[in-house]
């Protein structure tokens, strides 16, 4: 067991000071959320798709595509891949409806924010992006809740390819935070003939980056400067993101390619950062193992 300390993003300092000044309070109820870490191979190691999230997101100002659960995530979906009972065992969650909502939320948010759709007409097929404008219009309608994700899939005769997802990590925002998420992180690769694009009129920045190269410059402001937003410029990695993102990037950087990364089983115990003050400086403290992952494969485990 090791103790990791992460710098607190500047926009959270006032809230942290308030929490300490007034003593223990009842933490705000977290919202359920999901995120998807897209991965691909490159000459610089495993790459992942990072996006900018405005408004001081609990997932980090720079994070993986994702968002909070919606009511439609509990609707009836055509389902390809492991059954809900298998997913429940893998995620160690007894409530299968809750498990479904996390998985559907992950696939829906990924589609809204990047256009990547993990769906097909059967257990072997994956839909292709045949009309970029039609695709974008559908994403806008789903994001604006003018069109239910379940209805969108039904109209096209598509089912969810849940077998294309792997659970990566489970995180709960610290107690002091004004906005809290109980977030499941998943990972996936981009299906053939699909391409990640930002949501029209909403997305501000997104880019494929080498996990290893991001971490090599984690103590500089290079990534924040590239993103170029007022709450990212001149800030180091831990000041623009969340510990979950950094630790997942570490696991990607350590993997010998995407296949190796996807085939590992992870320790899916809930991680819950705590607020720590040292010499007047606030940190997020995370307890856990040095490596978030083992070498046991998803298949061997029933299918950080």
């Amino acid at each position: 067991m090791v103790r990791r300390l992460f710098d607190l993003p500047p926009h959270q300092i006032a809230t942290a000071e308030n929490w300490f000044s007034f003593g223990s309070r009842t933490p705000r109820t977290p919202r359920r959320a999901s995120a998807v870490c897209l991965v691909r191979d490159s000459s610089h190691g495993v790459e992942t798709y990072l996006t900018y999230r405005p408004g001081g997101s609990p997932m980090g100002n720079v994070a993986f595509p994702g968002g909070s659960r919606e009511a439609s995530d509990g609707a009836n979906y055509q389902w390809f891949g492991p059954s809900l009972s298998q997913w429940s065992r893998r995620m160690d969650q007894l409530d299968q409806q809750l498990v479904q909502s996390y998985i559907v939320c992950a696939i829906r948010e990924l589609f809204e924010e990047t256009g990547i759709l993990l769906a097909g007409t059967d257990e072997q097929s994956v839909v292709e992006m045949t009309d970029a404008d039609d695709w974008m219009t559908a994403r806008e309608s789903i994001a604006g809740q003018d069109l239910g994700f379940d209805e969108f899939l039904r109209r096209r005769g598509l089912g969810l390819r849940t077998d294309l997802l792997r659970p990566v990590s489970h995180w709960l925002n610290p107690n002091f935070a004004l906005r809290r998420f109980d977030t499941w992180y998943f990972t996936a690769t981009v299906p053939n003939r699909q391409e990640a694009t930002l949501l029209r009129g909403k997305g501000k920045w997104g880019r494929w980056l080498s996990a290893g190269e991001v971490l090599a410059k984690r103590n500089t402001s290079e990534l924040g400067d590239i993103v170029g937003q007022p709450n990212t410029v001149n800030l180091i990695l831990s000041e623009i993101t969340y510990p979950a993102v950094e630790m997942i990037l570490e696991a990607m950087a350590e993997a010998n390619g995407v296949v190796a990364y996807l085939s590992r089983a992870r320790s899916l115990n809930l991680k819950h950062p705590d607020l720590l003050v040292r010499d007047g400086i606030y940190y997020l403290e995370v307890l856990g193992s040095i490596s978030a992952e083992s070498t046991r494969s998803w298949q061997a485990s029933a299918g950080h």
Side-chain angles (χ1 to χ4, degrees), residues 218-231:
R218 70 199 309 171
N219 294 321
T220 76
S221 65
E222 179 166 314
L223 177 57
D225 295 341
I226 291 172
V227 177
Q229 301 297 317
N231 56 358

Side-chain angles (χ1 to χ4, degrees), residues 109-128:
E109 286 286 345
L110 180 66
F111 180 57
E112 288 179 17
E113 295 194 6
T114 72
I116 303 303
L117 182 58
L118 305 181
T121 57
D122 55 41
E123 295 180 352
Q124 303 297 323
S125 68
V126 183
V127 66
E128 297 179 354

Side-chain angles (χ1 to χ4, degrees), residues 63-167:
F64 302 109
S68 57
R69 185 180 63 172
E70 296 178 359
S72 65
D73 296 334
N76 292 323
Y77 289 86
Q78 190 174 14
W79 191 274
F80 302 125
S83 66
L84 275 175
S85 62
Q86 289 174 310
W87 270 106
S88 295
R89 288 195 298 272
R90 182 68 187 98
M91 296 169 63
D92 196 23
Q93 301 279 332
L94 294 177
D95 187 339
Q96 293 188 14
Q97 288 185 325
L98 179 59
V99 168
Q100 173 184 312
S101 69
Y102 276 120
I103 295 169
V104 175
C105 177
I107 296 176
R108 175 183 53 76
E109 286 286 345
L110 180 66
F111 180 57
E112 288 179 17
E113 295 194 6
T114 72
I116 303 303
L117 182 58
L118 305 181
T121 57
D122 55 41
E123 295 180 352
Q124 303 297 323
S125 68
V126 183
V127 66
E128 297 179 354
M129 190 188 302
T130 55
D131 186 330
D133 189 64
D134 177 60
W135 210 258
M136 183 66 74
T137 300
R139 291 166 60 190
E140 290 176 314
S141 297
I142 295 169
Q145 298 188 17
D146 297 318
L147 173 65
F149 188 48
D150 55 329
E151 178 63 22
F152 164 75
L153 294 174
R154 224 177 356 255
R155 290 178 183 177
R156 289 161 173 76
L158 298 173
L160 301 176
R161 285 289 307 273
T162 71
D163 55 312
L164 300 180
L165 283 177
R166 298 287 186 274

Side-chain angles (χ1 to χ4, degrees), residues 189-256:
T189 59
V190 177
N192 290 333
R193 300 194 66 178
Q194 292 194 30
E195 181 180 348
T197 59
L198 294 176
L199 181 61
R200 184 168 53 200
K202 184 177 179 181
K204 290 183 177 295
W205 179 90
R207 186 175 298 184
W208 285 97
L209 295 168
S210 160
E213 292 183 350
V214 170
L215 293 173
K217 298 177 181 178
R218 70 199 309 171
N219 294 321
T220 76
S221 65
E222 179 166 314
L223 177 57
D225 295 341
I226 291 172
V227 177
Q229 301 297 317
N231 56 358
T232 67
V233 171
N234 294 326
L235 299 178
I236 64 174
L237 182 63
S238 62
E239 293 176 323
I240 63 174
T241 190
Y242 184 57
V245 176
E246 284 198 63
M247 293 179 71
I248 292 171
L249 287 172
E250 289 168 0
M252 291 177 180
E254 293 169 1
N256 186 24

